Amino acid sequence: MKLQLLTIQNILHITGITKKTLHHYHKIGLLPPSHIADNGYRFYDRQALATLQTILLFKEMGFSLTEIATMLPLSKAKQTDILIQQRQLLESKKQKLTTVIEQLDHYIEGTDISKLTLFDDSTIPSIEEQYELEAKLVYGDTKIYQEFQGNIEKLSDSDKKQAYNQFTSNMESVFRNIALYQDRSPSDDKVQQYIDQWSQYLAQFIGDDICILLCIAETYRTDERFVRYFDTFGEEGYLIFLYKAIVYFVEKKSNTPIADS
């Protein structure tokens, strides 16, 4: 005999969903039973099963239950239009996910957070922009920072980007060169030669302020975000070596001994 109506257990067995989910779909009007017996038992016909399978399909495609409820009464042509739009959205998410995975791999491999491009298509400011905002909060009321901002604002966006990239490249080159002499004293002439280069690169933006150099050195040493960054240049203890080299440079320039903190 041909089975005309399916019980809840039949539906659960065929689709693999839970009883709770089926009850929820009934409660919100998404999939009411085809027939309710006098004893309260609910039954579903083949069309209801087909509708449920469509609901589950659309749900896997990323549609919310509210969206699915709107789509079900539509013609196949109108559903297809919506599905095409959904495909485009999923393709965009796929590309974003690919980028996330790539950036995750770069970070695992040791790339500094400031070099990641994960925020490029986000409403969240890039790490570079966040650093700038942080610097403004910390140093914004100082004359040297205001002069720095004045110099930067004179540049076009493309010139700013080019200047930042060049500055970053120069800094990384200096840090790599210093790492070659990590087995020497921080006061070694060669080490100090590169510290002097470092200070000259900074001077292009912040001027020749010896106190700022010491402040930057302290930031290197105390800000946990820099530990990972400097680990990419030298051996263990490189950051402390760099800090001591900068302190020696500042002491020599200012003729003032700096207490070890």
Side-chain angles (χ1 to χ4, degrees):
M1 178 178 177
K2 187 176 180 181
L3 185 63
Q4 298 298 321
L5 293 175
L6 302 170
T7 66
I8 288 179
Q9 291 303 318
N10 294 148
I11 293 293
L12 302 187
H13 177 71
I14 292 171
T15 64
I17 66 172
T18 65
K19 187 175 182 179
K20 182 179 179 181
T21 297
L22 191 60
H23 284 183
H24 180 63
Y25 290 173
H26 177 198
K27 182 179 179 180
I28 65 176
L30 190 59
L31 185 71
S34 305
H35 174 71
I36 300 179
D38 293 339
N39 59 6
Y41 287 0
R42 290 168 292 174
F43 297 89
Y44 298 83
D45 59 21
R46 299 295 180 81
Q47 181 57 49
L49 175 60
T51 299
L52 175 57
Q53 290 166 338
T54 301
I55 292 170
L56 298 177
L57 177 67
F58 286 169
K59 192 168 181 292
E60 286 298 310
M61 290 178 176
F63 292 102
S64 68
L65 295 181
T66 301
E67 291 170 328
I68 293 172
T70 302
M71 292 173 64
L72 288 177
L74 300 178
S75 66
K76 288 292 183 182
K78 290 184 178 180
Q79 285 184 359
T80 299
D81 289 340
I82 296 174
L83 292 173
I84 290 173
Q85 294 176 10
Q86 183 71 356
R87 189 190 187 288
Q88 294 171 342
L89 176 62
L90 292 175
E91 186 65 36
S92 176
K93 289 182 177 179
K94 175 185 174 183
Q95 294 173 359
K96 177 66 175 178
L97 185 57
T98 298
T99 299
V100 170
I101 293 173
E102 290 175 348
Q103 293 294 295
L104 187 151
D105 287 341
H106 290 325
Y107 190 63
I108 290 174
E109 292 166 1
T111 299
D112 182 62
I113 189 173
S114 64
K115 298 294 185 63
L116 301 179
T117 60
L118 201 54
F119 298 114
D120 284 3
D121 297 321
S122 170
T123 56
I124 299 174
S126 68
I127 297 299
E128 175 186 337
E129 292 170 327
Q130 291 182 39
Y131 283 170
E132 290 176 2
L133 292 171
E134 179 184 359
K136 186 173 183 179
L137 286 174
V138 176
Y139 305 114
D141 59 347
T142 64
K143 180 180 178 181
I144 193 67
Y145 183 82
Q146 291 168 5
E147 291 176 354
F148 161 72
Q149 282 294 95
N151 293 334
I152 289 296
E153 288 171 2
K154 295 175 184 177
L155 302 176
S156 65
D157 289 342
S158 60
D159 287 342
K160 287 179 186 177
K161 188 67 176 178
Q162 183 177 356
Y164 176 80
N165 289 339
Q166 185 61 57
F167 175 77
T168 302
S169 176
N170 289 340
M171 283 299 195
E172 290 180 352
S173 177
V174 166
F175 294 143
R176 279 193 295 270
N177 286 328
I178 292 173
L180 297 176
Y181 300 93
Q182 191 177 338
D183 59 341
R184 301 187 186 182
S185 167
S187 62
D188 181 84
D189 288 345
K190 200 66 177 179
V191 174
Q192 288 301 304
Q193 175 184 329
Y194 287 120
I195 294 295
D196 186 47
Q197 279 188 13
W198 169 80
S199 70
Q200 290 178 40
Y201 291 141
L202 285 170
Q204 297 172 10
F205 295 96
I206 64 172
D208 189 14
D209 190 316
I210 204 71
C211 295
I212 290 293
L213 297 183
L214 187 60
C215 182
I216 291 172
E218 287 288 352
T219 302
Y220 286 170
R221 186 179 67 156
T222 59
D223 193 323
E224 292 182 359
R225 291 168 296 182
F226 283 104
V227 174
R228 186 183 181 92
Y229 174 70
F230 284 110
D231 278 348
T232 64
F233 295 104
E235 302 297 331
E236 183 178 357
Y238 174 75
L239 182 53
I240 297 302
F241 176 82
L242 176 65
Y243 170 78
K244 290 180 177 179
I246 295 173
V247 169
Y248 180 85
F249 179 83
V250 172
E251 288 179 333
K252 192 173 180 180
K253 281 281 186 178
S254 63
N255 293 316
T256 303
I258 297 169
D260 186 12
S261 56

